[in-house]
Amino acid sequence: MGAAALGVAQSQMQQEHDPKADFPWWVRYMAKGIGILGGFVAMFFAVLGFVTLSPTCMIAVTIQLVFGFLIIALEAPFCCTFVDFIEKIDNFSESRTFWQKAVLYCGMGIVPILICPELNTVLGGGMIFASGSVYGFLALGKKADQQTMMKSAAYDPWEASIQQV
């Protein structure tokens, strides 16, 4: 391991364990874990779906298989070390924000279900969609403290505009 790679690993570790981050490290790892699990479940149900005789469902499970592999490549690039360009995919994935991952994963989860709404695609695509939902909740951010929420609940913009007149 070169000095540059060691520096990158150290900066990534500092970023993951940053006390000023919005979420603790275990929440971010849980989101990654759900993404990895969703990718494997999607690939498993896609392989099971190949026994169908419907051509549209064959297309849907093929797309689901590709999406499952893509999620594994985005979330767990160490599982795909045999692919030459996996480092570029990892750098791309790590530079994305939570809302971008949420939109991407939810979209990838919906496509197979819309093409063929059978059990294999609903379970596989549903797991991909669930991973996108978790990233969506992470994108929303932490809940405010109680005082901030009480001030927000007590503020009535309509009443404030009437008092200004």
Side-chain angles (χ1 to χ4, degrees):
M1 183 180 261
L6 185 61
V8 170
Q10 285 178 338
S11 67
Q12 183 179 1
M13 189 174 4
Q14 287 172 348
Q15 183 182 22
E16 288 174 355
H17 297 290
D18 184 15
K20 293 178 275 181
D22 287 343
F23 294 96
W25 61 270
W26 62 270
V27 173
R28 293 189 301 266
Y29 282 139
M30 181 186 66
K32 277 190 168 295
I34 291 172
I36 294 166
L37 178 69
F40 280 121
V41 168
M43 290 186 337
F44 174 75
F45 282 113
V47 170
L48 287 181
F50 278 118
V51 298
T52 185
L53 298 175
S54 170
T56 56
C57 288
M58 293 288 281
I59 293 169
V61 296
T62 303
I63 291 171
Q64 182 176 318
L65 185 66
V66 170
F67 285 164
F69 179 76
L70 183 61
I71 287 189
I72 297 297
L74 290 172
E75 293 294 328
F78 58 86
C79 293
C80 308
T81 56
F82 56 88
V83 180
D84 293 336
F85 53 89
I86 201 69
E87 186 176 335
K88 292 178 185 176
I89 291 174
D90 181 39
N91 291 338
F92 175 79
S93 173
E94 294 302 321
S95 66
R96 301 296 103 197
T97 59
F98 290 140
W99 74 266
Q100 290 170 333
K101 285 186 177 184
V103 169
L104 177 68
Y105 291 179
C106 286
M108 289 190 322
I110 288 290
V111 170
I113 297 172
L114 291 177
I115 294 172
C116 175
E118 286 189 356
L119 186 62
N120 289 329
T121 55
V122 169
L123 293 176
M127 281 299 292
I128 294 173
F129 188 85
S131 174
S133 298
V134 170
Y135 275 111
F137 283 121
L138 288 175
L140 289 175
K142 290 175 84 172
K143 188 170 90 170
D145 62 343
Q146 185 177 6
Q147 291 176 347
T148 306
M149 289 193 317
M150 293 300 284
K151 285 180 189 176
S152 177
Y155 177 72
D156 185 9
W158 178 257
E159 187 178 311
S161 66
I162 291 174
Q163 290 175 356
Q164 288 178 354
V165 174

